Amino acid sequence: PTVSLEELKPSSKDVLLRSRQPSPQAAAIARDLLRKIRQAFAGDPAASAVLAGWALGCKGPEIRRRYGISEKDLRAAVRRVRRFAVRLRDPEPGDSHGH
């Protein structure tokens, strides 16, 4: 039986699934960044709740219920975590972040 050229092409779904699998180096970098974020917010109960909730795949309302935090505290914690993560990813010029 002959195989057509169309059958040999990976489907867009296959390409998308493969593209979402990080390389070992990218996975190591992500783990390091996550460790730094968790350490930075170890003394912040609301931010720690957000991080723990996200790790479980929870959205805001579920995080609030699960960890007993207010909407205001949740929003503020999300902002703090996101700002910190952006600074880690895109440091300001001259900001060494310990490097």
Side-chain angles (χ1 to χ4, degrees):
T2 59
V3 177
S4 73
L5 191 56
E6 246 350 92
E7 290 174 296
L8 293 176
K9 290 182 181 176
S11 73
S12 58
K13 180 180 165 192
D14 293 336
V15 171
L16 183 61
L17 288 175
R18 270 184 274 145
S19 69
R20 287 188 178 172
Q21 295 174 351
S23 70
Q25 182 181 9
I29 291 168
R31 280 191 305 273
D32 185 53
L33 290 174
L34 185 55
R35 181 185 53 77
K36 288 177 181 177
I37 292 169
R38 284 187 176 140
Q39 286 176 341
F41 291 101
D44 183 332
S48 293
V50 167
L51 292 169
W54 284 347
L56 296 172
C58 299
K59 302 279 187 216
E62 190 174 352
I63 293 170
R64 288 182 49 228
R65 281 192 302 276
R66 182 181 286 260
Y67 299 99
I69 60 177
S70 71
E71 176 74 21
K72 180 181 174 185
D73 288 343
L74 174 80
R75 288 177 188 258
V78 167
R79 278 194 304 273
R80 288 192 301 277
V81 170
R82 286 188 174 149
R83 286 179 183 149
F84 183 80
V86 166
R87 284 194 311 270
L88 275 180
R89 187 191 68 202
D90 305 322
E92 294 290 324
D95 187 1
S96 67
H97 279 296
H99 297 289

